Amino acid sequence: MSSVSKGLTALATVSGVAGMMWFMPSVSATRTAQAPPAAERHLRNIRQLTFGGENAEAYFSPDGARLIFQSTREGAACDQIFTMKIDGSDLKRVSTGTGRTTCGYYYPGGRDILFASTHKAGAACPPKPSFERGYVWPIYGSYDIYRANPDGSNLRPLTTTPGYDAEATIAPDGLIAFTSVRDGDMEIYTMKEDGADVRRLTNSPGPDGGPFFSWDGKRIAYRGRPLKPGTELTDYLALLKDQIWRPTKLEIYLMDRDGRNTTQVTTLSSASFAPSWHPDLKRLIFASNVKDPQQRNFDIFLVNVDGTGLEQVTFNQTFDGFPMFSPDGTHLVFASNRNAKSEGETNVFIAEWVQ
């Protein structure tokens, strides 16, 4: 998961111990999860695609036939990027196997992939921060975004600017949106598919990030928390300067692809993140801990783009997050702690979507 996303999901005890090897059965055959509670009326035939370790941020290829995701599993001390068919078969590692990676995504037509990686700074997993300043999560300045062929070959950098560059998604015309700390704050930028013409879209102090294009490429959903001058902003910027971040409350926002017409969608006063789009372009799907008084259990929610019609989709008592619809809207992929054999185990699930 991206550093920011992992910092949030760790609130739900998602993050495991880096370097711990987990038993990983073959994923050539999927396993049907336990029947969902009746409340999960939108989900049918839930299937588990990965088994053991930490697996998350699975995103569909444009034709809906494959998924790209990140995984810490046997043979990988920290997250690497993999692809697989939507039945869990034909698993392939497409990142270098060195450094830490995050946030894979397919180019239009599935002709290429991208992901963020720290491998240029060293083959080892970057160190985890201490907790001398409280619970914090790393925002590795060594993350850069890379483009590669679908099998991971022909790897080339799209970003080389100092500072965290990650959390990239791509519009149908190839425009890339991503999160960067290159200007001293978490902000959202766009660049062309070859890394050229970088433009900053957000200008609000605070942790803006996780941009996700609408299916027509005209709008971007993202997470954010505008911070006014004061103690919280001062602390946030001081931590960020040291490449760390303290998980916080976040809301879901929308803006046009050029950064104009920003609107706040949610007002939940919770940690809401990982928004993506329903194919009807009228609704967003995202993860939030709004229903848990202890703010540790995350579930998946739908909401209209105007902020009305909030509806809970999952009712699992652990973590559900990183939802994405298939291009045709018939399936939903997500990460979850359900069925976990060990604390921190997170797997990728897919379900048929019932309207």
Side-chain angles (χ1 to χ4, degrees):
M1 303 169 214
S2 71
S3 297
V4 170
S5 298
K6 217 163 193 179
L8 290 168
T9 54
L11 296 174
T13 66
V14 165
S15 63
V17 178
M20 183 175 291
M21 296 297 104
W22 302 88
F23 174 68
M24 193 69 183
S26 169
V27 296
S28 60
T30 61
R31 183 171 70 199
T32 301
Q34 295 178 353
E40 293 187 341
R41 66 179 186 84
H42 287 296
L43 306 181
R44 181 174 60 202
N45 191 21
I46 299 175
R47 289 165 289 156
Q48 185 172 338
L49 303 183
T50 63
F51 301 89
E54 299 174 44
N55 307 271
E57 291 200 65
Y59 301 121
F60 282 98
S61 59
D63 63 1
R66 295 189 71 86
L67 295 165
I68 187 168
F69 68 105
Q70 59 212 42
S71 178
T72 297
R73 58 175 61 202
E74 186 174 5
C78 55
D79 283 338
Q80 293 296 315
I81 303 297
F82 293 80
T83 66
M84 62 182 171
K85 292 181 179 179
I86 63 170
D87 64 0
S89 66
D90 195 27
L91 179 72
K92 298 178 180 179
R93 177 172 58 79
V94 293
S95 57
T96 65
T98 60
R100 181 184 290 272
T101 65
T102 190
C103 305
Y105 208 80
Y106 280 95
Y107 272 78
R111 64 184 185 277
D112 276 333
I113 59 172
L114 60 67
F115 57 87
S117 177
T118 68
H119 73 270
K120 185 179 179 181
C125 298
K128 298 174 71 173
S130 72
F131 295 117
E132 294 178 355
R133 298 165 77 175
Y135 179 76
V136 295
W137 203 257
I139 304 296
Y140 295 118
S142 52
Y143 266 132
D144 274 307
I145 299 171
Y146 292 82
R147 179 177 183 172
N149 294 346
D151 63 359
S153 63
N154 194 24
L155 186 70
R156 58 274 197 200
L158 295 178
T159 65
T160 56
T161 302
Y164 175 89
D165 292 319
E167 306 176 35
T169 60
I170 312 177
D173 63 357
L175 186 68
I176 298 169
F178 65 102
T179 305
S180 180
V181 186
R182 62 184 59 201
D183 293 326
D185 188 14
M186 284 189 206
E187 302 288 0
I188 297 172
Y189 299 74
T190 57
M191 60 183 170
K192 292 182 178 179
E193 64 177 47
D194 61 358
D197 193 25
V198 175
R199 301 185 181 189
R200 181 171 167 175
L201 301 188
T202 57
N203 290 277
S204 176
D208 296 324
F212 211 102
F213 279 103
S214 57
W215 293 97
D216 60 5
K218 294 180 179 180
R219 304 181 79 186
I220 296 172
Y222 65 100
R223 54 137 213 280
R225 177 176 171 81
L227 298 178
K228 297 179 180 179
T231 303
E232 184 178 1
L233 177 58
T234 299
D235 178 65
Y236 162 77
L237 292 175
L239 291 174
L240 202 57
K241 188 175 182 180
D242 292 334
Q243 300 183 25
I244 51 181
W245 175 75
R246 183 174 292 116
T248 185
K249 294 179 179 180
L250 298 163
E251 301 290 354
I252 305 301
Y253 291 80
L254 287 177
M255 62 181 167
D256 293 344
R257 62 183 275 152
D258 61 2
R260 299 179 182 179
N261 298 318
T262 298
T263 58
Q264 183 173 340
V265 178
T266 64
T267 53
L268 302 178
S269 297
S270 301
S272 300
F273 74 111
S276 63
W277 294 75
H278 189 284
D280 66 10
L281 303 180
K282 299 177 181 179
R283 291 173 286 175
L284 300 173
I285 193 163
F286 65 98
S288 180
N289 59 1
V290 64
K291 294 293 185 178
D292 181 6
Q294 302 301 316
Q295 297 192 326
R296 297 182 66 85
N297 176 33
F298 286 77
D299 278 300
I300 294 171
F301 295 81
L302 274 174
V303 68
N304 296 330
V305 294
D306 64 0
T308 63
L310 183 70
E311 181 183 2
Q312 188 170 346
V313 174
T314 64
F315 292 80
N316 181 46
Q317 294 304 307
T318 57
F319 170 83
D320 293 314
F322 303 109
M324 183 188 181
F325 283 100
S326 60
D328 63 4
T330 61
H331 289 84
L332 184 76
V333 68
F334 61 100
S336 179
N337 292 151
R338 61 182 70 195
N339 298 350
K341 296 286 191 288
S342 305
E343 183 176 341
E345 180 184 334
T346 310
N347 286 298
V348 175
F349 293 78
I350 192 169
E352 296 172 10
W353 181 258
V354 180
Q355 291 291 351

